[in-house]
Amino acid sequence: MEEAFWYEEHNCYWGIAADIEGHPYDDLKRSESNPGKISVSYGGVGRNITENLARMGAGVSFVSAAGNDFVGRMAVQELAALGVGVENIHLIEDENTAMYLSILNNVGDMELALCNMDVLERISVDIINQAMPLLQSSKMVAMDANLTEDVQLYIMDKLQGIPLFLDPVSAPKAERSKKYIGRFHTIKPNIGEAEVLSGIEITDEKSLAKAGAYFITRGVKQVFITLNARGVYYKDTREEGILRLWDCISIVSATGAGDAFSAAIIDSFIRGKNIAETSFYGMAAAQVAMQTKTAVNPQMCMRKIEEKINMVSKTI
């Protein structure tokens, strides 16, 4: 990472998982063994954000739980090799690492999936307390809604005065953070998650702005609502806007784009960027992520992000 800017700050995340995907060569036949390709990769919103930040050159630590199995141990080793602080990843003997297993059909659509995220429920107050010196010395602490409501509230109470970032993960899990949304400095939901968190149905730009205003009035300092192929809506107390997806860049896969955007938001906060600059920076990071099929582009770095920004700047 010699081209990346390094700073001694700590940002902490929670979810770690393994993604297993099966893709048959021919039509999927039920109740049979289907020849095909099987891929295994590390995932989880928190883990993906952490890897992106490490590749951007950030000083980042990871707080989480995984099974004391081959998958969990290798996930820790991979993060450590990137320079991530892994001392607070707890490998639990009686659990397996969180996994998401999906079976696709021959055109790439999901036919069946099974997830086991039980170990993430084992991220307890005790685990948080063990990481407390790290958390209390952080410039920003990032949380995802895999954490139980009780644990989220405990972190909020113990880290008053430290900016908290929330990635809600999914609409159902966003419910865990809804009552406390004003205690987050920065949030990055998608439309469905924003609807859950605000109680506002988002159908157009007017209702989108209404949801953004709701979050600001509750105490959130920065709001980023991702709009899939339509870009991102951003708002703070001074600025508001929508940044459209740049159509001058080819897309291989949108998988992991949101996690790269989240990483860029946090990196921007540490660097002191304003919200419009952060949105632009986040869009560039997301489009670096979309140039590979993996959840995190192994070529992610500041140089790649700056190349995207320069490319778009020439077309504006």
Side-chain angles (χ1 to χ4, degrees):
M1 296 191 299
E2 64 278 2
E3 74 274 27
F5 175 80
W6 183 269
Y7 48 82
E8 291 300 325
E9 310 296 349
H10 296 287
N11 308 276
C12 306
Y13 309 85
W14 316 96
I16 184 170
D19 294 326
I20 305 172
E21 182 180 274
H23 194 302
Y25 293 134
D26 298 311
D27 291 340
L28 189 66
K29 297 180 177 62
R30 300 276 177 166
S31 304
E32 291 188 24
S33 177
N34 291 263
K37 291 183 177 180
I38 299 174
S39 62
V40 180
S41 61
Y42 297 116
V45 169
R47 196 219 67 88
N48 291 347
I49 295 172
T50 298
E51 181 180 344
N52 275 297
L53 268 169
R55 292 187 182 279
M56 291 174 186
V60 57
S61 294
F62 193 64
V63 180
S64 191
N68 190 11
D69 50 24
F70 175 78
V71 176
R73 291 191 295 271
M74 290 303 296
V76 172
Q77 289 182 31
E78 184 181 81
L79 289 174
L82 290 170
V84 173
V86 297
E87 296 80 8
N88 288 286
I89 301 178
H90 295 256
L91 299 179
I92 300 175
E93 292 291 344
D94 58 341
E95 290 280 4
N96 61 266
T97 299
M99 294 187 186
Y100 180 81
L101 168 65
S102 61
I103 304 296
L104 311 183
N105 57 31
N106 62 344
V107 296
D109 294 327
M110 187 184 72
E111 289 283 337
L112 181 67
L114 183 67
C115 66
N116 179 356
M117 302 293 163
D118 295 352
V119 69
L120 300 181
E121 303 292 324
R122 300 283 295 271
I123 303 175
S124 62
V125 167
D126 181 58
I127 285 177
I128 302 305
N129 278 332
Q130 291 180 55
M132 195 57 67
L134 169 70
L135 299 174
Q136 291 176 333
S137 67
S138 300
K139 287 292 181 71
M140 175 170 270
V141 171
M143 300 162 56
D144 67 45
N146 283 307
L147 293 172
T148 65
E149 184 175 329
D150 289 345
V151 171
Q152 287 189 48
L153 183 58
Y154 185 80
I155 293 170
M156 293 171 194
D157 288 342
K158 290 294 184 180
L159 299 183
Q160 295 185 48
I162 294 177
L164 301 178
F165 170 89
L166 174 69
D167 191 311
V169 178
S170 68
K173 289 191 175 179
E175 289 281 1
R176 298 180 174 185
S177 308
K178 182 176 181 177
K179 290 190 293 187
Y180 316 107
I181 196 62
R183 301 184 70 173
F184 291 98
H185 178 281
T186 302
I187 63 172
K188 196 226 73 181
N190 61 26
I191 290 178
E193 294 158 358
E195 289 180 332
V196 170
L197 291 170
S198 67
I200 296 169
E201 184 180 6
I202 301 173
T203 58
D204 52 23
E205 290 188 11
K206 183 178 179 180
S207 53
L208 181 63
K210 183 179 179 181
Y214 169 85
F215 292 127
I216 296 299
T217 58
R218 291 296 302 272
V220 179
K221 301 297 187 294
Q222 292 187 127
V223 178
F224 300 88
I225 302 176
T226 55
L227 311 174
N228 297 322
R230 290 177 289 161
V232 63
Y233 164 86
Y234 60 88
K235 182 176 177 59
D236 63 9
T237 56
R238 292 174 296 179
E239 294 186 68
E240 180 179 32
I242 294 177
L243 182 61
R244 305 295 180 183
L245 191 67
W246 303 330
D247 58 9
C248 60
I249 299 172
S250 61
I251 297 174
V252 175
S253 171
T255 300
D259 299 334
F261 198 104
S262 291
I265 291 172
I266 298 155
D267 191 50
S268 293
F269 175 79
I270 301 299
R271 293 171 185 270
K273 295 180 183 290
N274 65 38
I275 195 164
E277 293 170 334
T278 297
S279 298
F280 205 78
Y281 182 51
M283 187 67 73
Q287 297 212 332
V288 171
M290 288 190 285
Q291 291 191 297
T292 180
K293 290 183 177 180
T294 56
V296 177
N297 188 338
Q299 296 185 10
M300 177 68 73
C301 62
M302 287 303 303
R303 179 175 56 81
K304 289 289 185 181
I305 294 173
E306 289 167 359
E307 285 175 0
K308 298 301 178 194
I309 292 174
N310 292 334
M311 181 187 303
V312 172
S313 297
K314 292 176 182 178
T315 66
I316 297 177

